[in-house]
């Protein structure tokens, strides 16, 4: 990387892209390299497994999608790609299918480039870069370094552009670094904060900490509900005259109620109904998708049984 980019583009990267790449790398690494202890126990070579060098880290590949408004490129999401390192070729049919599916869900998003993992860009990466130029004439390359460096404070993410430079009298495409900023929406900020609080810190699993977190929230809501009930019963008894009226307590209750958000406003009702309808719609779509998948499996089974029956009937008639 000889120099920084001179295109003048402004890149905005969303956290969802980083989470997707990290998840992709973690899954591939877990599938390709199972734990050494389990592998050693299966083969009975504990000493050899303990002294053997760690396997090389795999590289994963995918596409990044988003929008470009003028000179601002905003990367919102990503999806995985099938890549053959031996032939340096992409599975074009898989790419086109994924592009078509994402286009139905995100009609305003376009393929902006691709991503991979590794410590630095390699010469073979230019093959993928050139292969995507028929989709985007100036694709972006997002590189995530999965190695852990506790001394590094910046994100291990680098964004590259390609520029045509003349080297030894031959025009060649090279990768150049580009600066970027992290852009988030409210939903992403909440999700990232939630994931950060669920990070295992005492050796427990994330599922265990999630259960403990939800249990704590449930206990807090239960305690709040019981205290509200006590206050409500106390005010009802004061209204009926069963207990003497205390103006100081009423002023405290009135002050507490004034701090609460105004939930009886028309704007709150509209926003609440919109969120509630969106939640119901997502639930309905999930159920509809599950039902469609079940029906497709059932139809495939019927077609298979029908084909077998037809072949058997044809052989019987022929004999």
């Amino acid at each position: 990387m000889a120099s920084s980019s001179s295109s003048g583009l402004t890149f905005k990267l969303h956290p969802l892209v980083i989470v997707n790449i990290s998840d992709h790398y973690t899954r591939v690494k877990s599938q390709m390299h199972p734990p050494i202890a389990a592998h050693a126990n299966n083969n009975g070579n504990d000493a050899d497994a303990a002294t053997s060098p760690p396997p090389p880290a795999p590289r994963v590949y995918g596409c990044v999608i988003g929008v470009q408004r003028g000179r601002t490129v905003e990367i919102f999401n990503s999806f995985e790609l099938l890549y053959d390192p031996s032939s340096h070729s992409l599975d074009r049919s898989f790419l086109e299918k994924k592009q078509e599916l994402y286009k139905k869900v995100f009609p305003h998003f376009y393929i902006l480039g691709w991503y991979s993992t590794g410590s630095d860009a390699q010469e073979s990466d230019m093959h993928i870069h050139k292969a995507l130029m028929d989709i985007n004439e100036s694709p972006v390359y997002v590189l995530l370094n999965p190695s852990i460096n506790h001394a590094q404070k910046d994100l291990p993410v680098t964004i590259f552009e390609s520029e045509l430079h003349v080297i030894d009298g031959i025009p060649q495409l090279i990768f150049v670094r580009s600066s970027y900023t992290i852009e988030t929406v409210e939903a992403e900020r909440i999700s990232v904060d939630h994931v950060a609080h669920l990070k295992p810190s005492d050796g427990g699993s994330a599922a265990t900490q999630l259960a403990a977190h939800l249990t704590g929230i449930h206990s807090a809501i239960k305690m709040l509900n019981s205290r509200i009930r006590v206050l409500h019963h106390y005010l009802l008894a004061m209204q009926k005259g069963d207990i003497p009226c205390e103006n100081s307590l009423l002023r405290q209750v009135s002050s507490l109620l004034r701090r609460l958000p105004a939930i009886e406003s028309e704007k709150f009702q509209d926003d609440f109904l919109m969120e509630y309808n969106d939640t119901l719609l997502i639930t309905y779509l999930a159920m509809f998708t599950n039902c469609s998948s079940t029906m497709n499996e059932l139809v495939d089974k019927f077609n298979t049984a029908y084909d077998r029956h037809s072949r058997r009937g044809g052989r019987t008639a022929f004999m």
Side-chain angles (χ1 to χ4, degrees):
M1 307 312 113
S3 61
S4 60
S5 175
S6 59
S7 65
L9 294 177
T10 301
F11 291 96
K12 296 182 179 180
L13 183 65
H14 283 253
L16 182 59
V17 179
I18 304 176
V19 174
N20 286 344
I21 301 175
S22 177
D23 174 72
H24 186 191
Y25 172 80
T26 303
R27 286 187 286 105
V28 172
K29 184 178 180 181
S30 300
Q31 294 169 3
M32 293 180 60
H33 309 299
I36 296 178
H39 181 72
N41 290 334
N42 290 335
N43 295 334
N45 298 325
D46 297 349
D48 295 341
T51 58
S52 60
R59 297 193 71 191
V60 297
Y61 303 88
C63 272
V64 293
I65 59 176
V67 296
Q68 180 173 358
R69 304 181 183 93
R71 309 298 297 175
T72 301
V73 179
E74 195 164 359
I75 305 174
F76 282 94
N77 207 335
S78 63
F79 59 86
E80 303 172 11
L81 288 178
L82 297 180
Y83 175 70
D84 187 3
S86 59
S87 60
H88 303 293
S89 61
L90 293 172
D91 190 335
R92 300 294 298 192
S93 61
F94 180 81
L95 171 59
E96 294 172 358
K97 182 178 180 181
K98 296 287 288 186
Q99 183 182 7
E100 181 182 358
L101 293 176
Y102 268 83
K103 200 66 178 177
K104 293 180 180 179
V105 182
F106 306 104
H108 302 294
F109 287 2
Y110 297 92
I111 292 181
L112 301 176
W114 62 289
Y115 72 80
S116 75
T117 55
S119 58
D120 200 358
Q122 302 179 5
E123 295 182 1
S124 59
D125 294 339
M126 188 56 71
H127 295 283
I128 309 177
H129 200 78
K130 293 179 179 179
L132 293 176
M133 284 186 172
D134 59 341
I135 301 177
N136 190 318
E137 61 181 7
S138 181
V140 179
Y141 176 26
V142 180
L143 178 66
L144 173 66
N145 187 0
S147 61
I148 300 176
N149 185 2
H150 298 285
Q152 183 179 359
K153 296 182 179 180
D154 298 331
L155 287 173
V157 178
T158 308
I159 293 182
F160 295 101
E161 295 180 79
S162 59
E163 291 183 356
L164 187 63
H165 288 200
V166 178
I167 303 176
D168 296 333
I170 303 175
Q172 297 180 11
L173 279 176
I174 64 171
F175 289 121
V176 292
R177 296 177 184 269
S178 299
S179 59
Y180 65 92
T181 57
I182 298 297
E183 187 76 11
T184 61
V185 296
E186 184 177 0
E188 289 178 324
R189 288 194 294 270
I190 295 174
S191 300
V192 172
D193 181 72
H194 183 69
V195 172
H197 282 83
L198 291 178
K199 180 181 178 181
S201 58
D202 55 352
S205 63
T208 303
Q209 292 200 5
L210 175 60
H213 178 68
L214 295 178
T215 302
I217 294 178
H218 178 266
S219 301
I221 295 175
K222 186 177 180 181
M223 179 64 68
L224 178 63
N225 182 53
S226 63
R227 293 182 178 181
I228 292 176
R229 286 181 178 274
V230 171
L231 183 59
H232 182 251
H233 292 159
Y234 182 81
L235 294 177
L236 287 179
M238 187 182 296
Q239 183 181 15
K240 294 178 181 179
D242 298 338
I243 56 177
C245 181
E246 295 184 11
N247 293 326
S248 61
L249 179 60
L250 292 177
R251 284 193 294 269
Q252 293 180 13
V253 173
S254 177
S255 176
L256 178 62
L257 293 177
R258 281 195 297 268
R259 297 178 185 176
L260 298 177
I263 61 176
E264 297 299 332
S265 64
E266 183 178 354
K267 184 178 183 305
F268 174 81
Q269 293 295 332
D270 294 340
D271 293 342
F272 174 77
L273 290 177
M274 183 179 297
E275 294 290 339
Y276 182 71
N277 290 334
D278 290 344
T279 304
L280 292 180
L281 178 60
I282 292 175
T283 305
Y284 172 75
L285 290 176
M287 296 177 61
F288 185 77
T289 304
N290 189 18
C291 180
S292 300
S293 177
T294 305
M295 289 297 299
N296 287 333
E297 293 179 359
L298 182 62
V299 170
D300 291 340
K301 292 179 181 179
F302 270 108
N303 290 336
T304 302
Y306 178 77
D307 292 340
R308 291 180 178 177
H309 180 73
S310 299
R311 289 195 295 268
R312 291 176 180 177
R315 288 196 299 268
T316 303
F318 178 78
M319 292 174 64

